Amino acid sequence: MKLKKQVTVCGAAVFCVAVFSLYLMLDRVQHDPTRHQNGGNFPRSQISVLQNRIEQLEQLLEENHEIISHIKDSVLELTANAEGPPALLPYYTANGSWVVPPDPRPSFLSISPQDCQFALGGQHQKPELQMLTVSEELPFDNVDGGVWKQGFDISYSPHDWDAEALQVFVVPHSHNDPGWIKTFDKYYTEQTQHILNSMVSKLQEDPRRRFLWAEVSFFAKWWDNINAQKRAAVRRLVGNGQLEIATGGWVMPDEANSHYFALIDQLIEGHQWLEKNLGVTPRSGWAVDPFGHSPTMPYLLRRANLTSMLIQRVHYAIKKHFAATHSLEFMWRQTWDSDSSTDIFCHMMPFYSYDVPHTCGPDPKICCQFDFKRLPGGRINCPWKVPPRAVTEANVAERAALLLDQYRKKSRLFRSNVLLVPLGDDFRYDKPQEWDAQFFNYQRLFDFLNSQPDLHVQAQFGTLSDYFDALYKRTGVEPGARPPGFPVLSGDFFSYADREDHYWTGYYTSRPFYKSLDRVLEAHLRGAEILYSLAVAHARRSGLASQYPLSNFALLTEARRTLGLFQHHDAITGTAKEAVVADYGVRLLRSLVSLKQVIIHAAHYLVLADKETYHFDPEAPFLQMDDTRLSHDSLPERTVIHLESSPRYVVLFNPLDQERLSMVSLLVSSPRVRVLSEDGQPLAVQISARWSSATDMVPDVYQVSVPVRLPALGLGVLQLQLGLDGHHALPSSVRVYLHGRQLSVSRHEAFPLRIVDSGTGDFALSNRYMQVWFSGLTGLLKSIRRVDEEQEQRVDMEFLVYGTRTSKDKSGAYLFLPDGEAQPYVPKDPPVLRVTEGPFFSEVVAYYEHVHQVVRLYNLPGVEGLSLDMASLVDIRDYVNKELALRIHTDIDSQATFFTDLNGFQVQPRRYLKKLPLQANFYPMPVMAYIQDTQSRLTLHTAQALGVSSLRDGQLEVILDRRLMQDDNRGLGQGLKDNKRTCNRFRLLLERRTPSREVPGGPSTSYPSLLSHLTSMYLSAPELALPVARRRLPGPGLRSFHPLASSLPCDFHLLNLRALQAQVRTTPPCTCRPGTWPLLTHLLPVPVLPHLWAEGPPPPHPCLSVIQDDSLPSAETALILHRKGFDCGLEAKNLGFNCTTSQGQVALGSLFRGLDVGFLQPTSLTLLYPLASPSNSTDIYLEPMEIATFRLRLS
């Protein structure tokens, strides 16, 4: 009662303040003694006064928003501190439906008006190249271009370079896939280590030689196996510019399926490794093999302080268009950027491939003659039947003239007279003979060309950054700045076709089992990082660090590298050999198990009320895992909690940075179960049977579902015990539709069950927000009606099957080449339907031969209840050259436009283009896709990356799995025949749009609503339920953990709280300048900064050496925050959750409960560059869409 009074008083205060503020606004605007009637003509002074009044009104609105936000925090604090949780005790109504009483806690939606302006777009100048417009305008006609088959004839005059010589940089490189045809380890053993060993010796033979490397995963493995002498040589080669590490990521990642958390994490892992071991900071990006390119990558590279980048795999028609318009080099800008702060200079390679025949110029027949690995007698030759010839004094003039002609033609496609010519291919330079053949022959050609002044050419070996530096110098700008006349581009480069109608859109879905496992590992890594960092900080604060397993840091490092490895463009893509996929799977599972251990250890420490009682025992963990997997290719099996009369405890971890009200489902050994809160209050629960098939219950295993409110990034505690509580334990009722099939159905006295032998009438499920109709025949969704609307919205689902062509070219791991439009899925038998209804959730399960479709409706306020939870358990292991798709039909007038996310970071508008084949209209969907009209938006959220399209107005279509029996001639040499039983998880969200929210000038950008962002996070980061292994534990021993003192604004996402590696100092004899690292004496001296050390700054020494302990964390962590862009144009009434925005401001100093931020320094994305001096101020500001990294110490 006391709580209700407090809430009522505060609610009244909110109302009074709001009304009084509005009164003041109106009073100030109306009260103007100088105002007079003038017949509608406003003097300039009056307009000025009016402008001032408008500004005052805006300011008052903001002040009112802040006042309400403060009152909201106070109310929430009062309700949060009230004893006992709100008891949501459902009751059954006369019309046969369950009602859950309203949550007594108030909910707030307080959005700053200024925060809504971002999604409306600014008035900034549009870029010259908007990729959506380019694709709409291009004919995609594929005219034969002659020797450059996908291009055109190039002409030039020999005098074109009289005023300014052509400067040519030939860049030797070797593209090493960390797994594809061979496993990562096998590639390393058989090829990569030989490439890198030869690199050290061969580059030292001539200081004019250069080499480019990209994959740090391979480099790190090699580094661990070489001696100190060779390491020193490598550092010298890096220091004098002969060896460049480009991009510096753990891998060269796929840009279609990878989530931005994983993209950032592998970039940090690579950059931190390079800084630690080589003292190098990458300057240029190199992406020659990802199958299409996302604008997320240039954003991340720019925020990591890279200034330039290169891409290769772009649709051949776009390359031709860009070549013809001299647009192959451009400033790549993000669509929301109004001040060019995201610009990065990008070079697009113009021709078919990154191999030698397609890099020196437009004629591969000639360029192949300058790939000296193909000299006669070798294992590979030129397909054009004209072999290379060794360069001699006798033929050097003729060979140089032939090569220079290609260089000149290629240079005519660019705006500057600086030319980039890559020289390499996959796993090149693995034998000393190739190093000699390439370097000796090219050096002879360079020497000749450079000795002929009348040719006006200067040719040399170079690195990628050598090329960009020369270009900037020639164009007269600073590195990374926009050269005069170069275009600005925004948008992406999906979908990719390398020839004809061969679109690489199949890999958006290929091997979805591992795409799903990737995201499970990612969610666990983020959760483990955050809990570990918090546990270590609290243990250090309490003086118990020596008792805590700090060495779990090594498990985090391994998991980071496993997740990073799987972002490789032949891993998450599903385009590797079967044995390689299995190797990835074993690595993913091993790291997943390790991360569960890290989470268990951290949760154990943090949930103890008395930290002094903490004892780490790796042989007998305090907590059990939430689930287990028997093998890398099996689905998880949830842990069953065996009940006794004494309580069993369960610790619940919420990895979201917002408080969540979620339905937690646990498996228990008896339907006679009582569930209590942390302080012993009984909770209402829904008891359900556990089913092993459409008609069979699992014996002695039951599901108990309980709504639980969990603190942001925190831990909650439940008690379970054997016992009957008819008032709080509410059973589910079940109907099974057999459709005439003679099947026996399991029964249990605890659960009412009704069998419907026949009948096809539609039926509905409902909650407080919506009524959802299903087909009685198919069990699939038909329509949704919001409770505040009369009209139903058609949301009709069906399964479809694509075949592949009968011609030579067929679908494979990379390519989607369907034999026409999809055909309806026709099951052998009608589906068995099982409808479960209960107080907290109801669901429909449709059992088809190849897919089990589950649609669940939660009867809860907030995010859980506002969308439909869906899962498709797919098994197509008996398919032959077929792909299974799920299509949603609606009445939304989408006008051939749909929207897909890029890497979970941003949303890209798409247009269905009739001029392109069906397969060209599919795009990657890592997180969501939506269609909309002026009234509605329907969003399909996904927990795993899949391919998506909208082939007709009002439709969304997703490919669930593909089984293909043949290779598609892109080098893999296998089809897709290793399919697994795969569970694809989704959330379907229907939102009402408010009128007049269209951005003038067409949809170049779009943003999800805040509700959509939260729905996506609920799906991607489910709560973890960790049973306490020790059954007898006194209740007061466990206490919920609330790590945040105040909630983050709901447009902020705490992307990571990443533990950094400790550095331990020693002082051996050596000779170096004081305050520098002796390891780096050949480079520019790197100051030893105090914040690099685990135990404070080192004492003064004449020389310092750094020993890294890979298993221990530093006293500092990396905090990575993302402020999301969102659309206020979606209705936000009665959402049932708390949400406040703050115009991008966050007070980090008061964010963590019980911990002070003793040190805060903004850095570049990957922590290599400090952006400001360490400061005592902990208030930060972020623009919408920005990601920011901070180095901080929690104390």
Side-chain angles (χ1 to χ4, degrees), residues 676-692:
L676 308 175
S677 67
E678 175 187 345
D679 54 4
Q681 298 297 314
L683 299 177
V685 300
Q686 179 174 332
I687 311 293
S688 312
R690 179 75 169 164
W691 297 82
S692 60

Side-chain angles (χ1 to χ4, degrees), residues 185 207 241 305 382 543 570 591 615 751 795 808 879 884 901 1073:
D185 288 334
N305 213 32
C382 285
D570 281 307
S591 288
H615 173 67
F751 309 107
V795 186
K808 175 187 171 186
Y879 267 7
L884 185 66
D901 78 283
R1073 188 164 60 81

Side-chain angles (χ1 to χ4, degrees), residues 24-38 42-54 56:
L24 285 176
M25 292 180 216
L26 291 170
D27 182 65
R28 289 197 192 182
V29 170
Q30 290 175 354
H31 180 64
D32 185 1
T34 63
R35 188 175 59 221
H36 58 278
Q37 298 291 330
N38 59 4
F42 287 93
R44 191 174 299 273
S45 60
Q46 287 293 86
I47 293 175
S48 176
V49 168
L50 187 60
Q51 287 175 336
N52 290 335
R53 292 287 181 267
I54 291 172
Q56 289 174 4

Side-chain angles (χ1 to χ4, degrees), residues 1080-1099:
L1080 308 176
T1081 50
H1082 60 286
L1083 301 175
L1084 291 173
V1086 179
V1088 176
L1089 300 176
H1091 70 267
L1092 294 175
W1093 305 95
E1095 305 299 335

